[in-house]
Amino acid sequence: QTTFMSSTLEQKDIISKQNCPWPPHDLIGREPLNRTLFDPKTLSTVFGFMKKGHFKPQNCSPYQKIAVVVPVRDREPQLRIFLNNFIPRIYRQQLEFTIYVVEQTPGNLFNKGMLINTGFIEAMKDMKYDCIVIHDVDILAEDDRILYTCGDNPAQLSTKIQKYGYRIPYERYFGGIVIFSTEQFEAINGCPNQFFGWGGADDELSSRVRRVHYNLSRPFHQYGHCGSVQHQKATRGTDRYKILRISESIWKKDGLFDLFDHAYTILEKQRKPLYVWIYRDIDMKK
Ligand code: NGS
C-alpha cells in the first residue's frame, strides 16, 4: 500500500515538473496596443489568474522566474494601459512573474535609478528570481514574440519604438524595456543613484554593461515593435551630463550595493491583485 502511494505521488510530481514548452506555444504575434482605460477592478477580474501581483503556470514548470520592475510617478492612466497590455502577453509566454510598481513620493526630482534598485532589492526578498525586467510604463511590446527572458548578456527588448518612428533614437539607447539576469544586474552594481530628474540613468546603465564586458544584445530585433503611450514630460535633470562623466570613476560605489549599505525608508509595500506597490521617499541629499 505504502509503495503504491509513494509511487503515485512521485508520478504526480514528475508530471507537475514537466517544463512549460519553450519557445512558448500559442503566441499571437503582433497586435496593436489596447489603449482603453479600464478601471482597476475590471482589470483584476479579467486577470483573475494573478494573485498579489504574481503569476505561476499551474501545469508546467516555467522556463524562468521574472521580476518586472516599473518605476513611476504621476502615471496612473499609463499604468492601467501597461497592465492591460503587458499581462496577457507575458502570460501567454507561460513564465512565472511578479510585477513591482515602484513609485516615488511627490516633491523631490524623480530618481529612476534608485527606484529600480529599490524594486530589485524588494523583489529578491520575495523570491530568487532568474531575471529582472526594467520596464518603462509608457513603452509597451505590441508583439508577444518579444520574450521576457534573460540569457548570457543583458538585452534590450524595445528596439522599434513608435514614438521614434519604430526605431531607437540612437545606437546606444538602452531605455524602454531591458532585461538582465539577477547575476548580471548585480555584476554591474545595478543602476546609478545619482541622477535626479529626467534623463541619463539609462545611458549610464548601458555604460555599466560595457564596463563589465557584456555585450548588449537585441535578441528580438526582428519583432521588437513597441507602442508608446503619451504623457506629460518630466522635469529634466540639470546635472545629467556631469554625472555621466564622473560615473566612470564612481559606479562601483554608486548602485545596488551602496543602497544595501544605507537604511532606506519604504513607506508602503502593498500586495495589490495585479502588482506589488512599493512607495518610497527619496531625499536629494542621499
Ligand atoms: C537621451 C537621454 C536618455 C533618454 C533618451 C530618450 O537624451 O536618458 O534621450 O528620451 N539621455 C540624457 O539625457 C543624457 S525620450 O525621447 O524617451 O524622452 O532615454
Side-chain angles (χ1 to χ4, degrees), residues 112 136 138-139 163-164 169-170 173-176 195 198-203 231 233 236-237 240-241 244:
K112 185 177 175 182
D136 281 356
D138 59 338
I139 294 180
K163 68 176 169 182
Y164 308 120
Y170 49 95
Y173 171 73
F174 199 53
F195 290 86
W198 175 90
D202 48 2
D203 297 318
H231 55 76
K233 273 261 175 233
R236 278 171 195 268
R240 58 196 202 283
Y241 291 104
L244 278 173

Side-chain angles (χ1 to χ4, degrees), residues 53-171:
H54 172 254
F55 170 74
K56 183 181 183 169
Q58 290 304 304
N59 303 321
C60 56
S61 158
Y63 178 65
Q64 283 176 333
K65 299 188 188 68
I66 320 291
V68 184
V69 175
V70 190
V72 292
R73 181 158 74 182
D74 296 335
R75 295 283 182 262
E76 210 272 328
Q78 289 82 4
L79 181 60
R80 286 195 254 161
I81 298 175
F82 167 86
L83 295 167
N84 191 33
N85 286 277
F86 174 78
I87 294 174
R89 287 179 175 82
I90 190 170
Y91 171 78
R92 287 197 291 271
Q93 298 176 8
Q94 293 285 282
L95 292 161
E96 179 171 357
F97 66 96
T98 311
I99 300 173
Y100 294 88
V101 173
V102 196
E103 184 174 346
Q104 186 177 336
T105 52
N108 289 321
L109 287 170
F110 190 60
N111 189 324
K112 185 177 175 182
M114 209 184 287
L115 292 178
I116 295 166
N117 288 338
T118 306
F120 179 83
I121 291 166
E122 292 301 319
M124 293 305 148
K125 286 181 189 167
D126 289 348
M127 191 191 304
K128 171 92 184 77
Y129 292 99
D130 299 302
C131 324
I132 169 178
V133 174
I134 301 173
H135 208 309
D136 281 356
V137 72
D138 59 338
I139 294 180
L140 282 158
E142 289 179 348
D143 195 313
D144 60 8
R145 290 169 296 180
I146 301 173
L147 304 175
Y148 297 97
T149 56
C150 54
D152 295 339
N153 284 289
Q156 185 177 42
L157 304 185
S158 49
T159 53
K160 294 186 171 115
I161 301 174
Q162 187 181 21
K163 68 176 169 182
Y164 308 120
Y166 284 110
R167 295 203 179 115
I168 46 172
Y170 49 95
E171 183 47 37

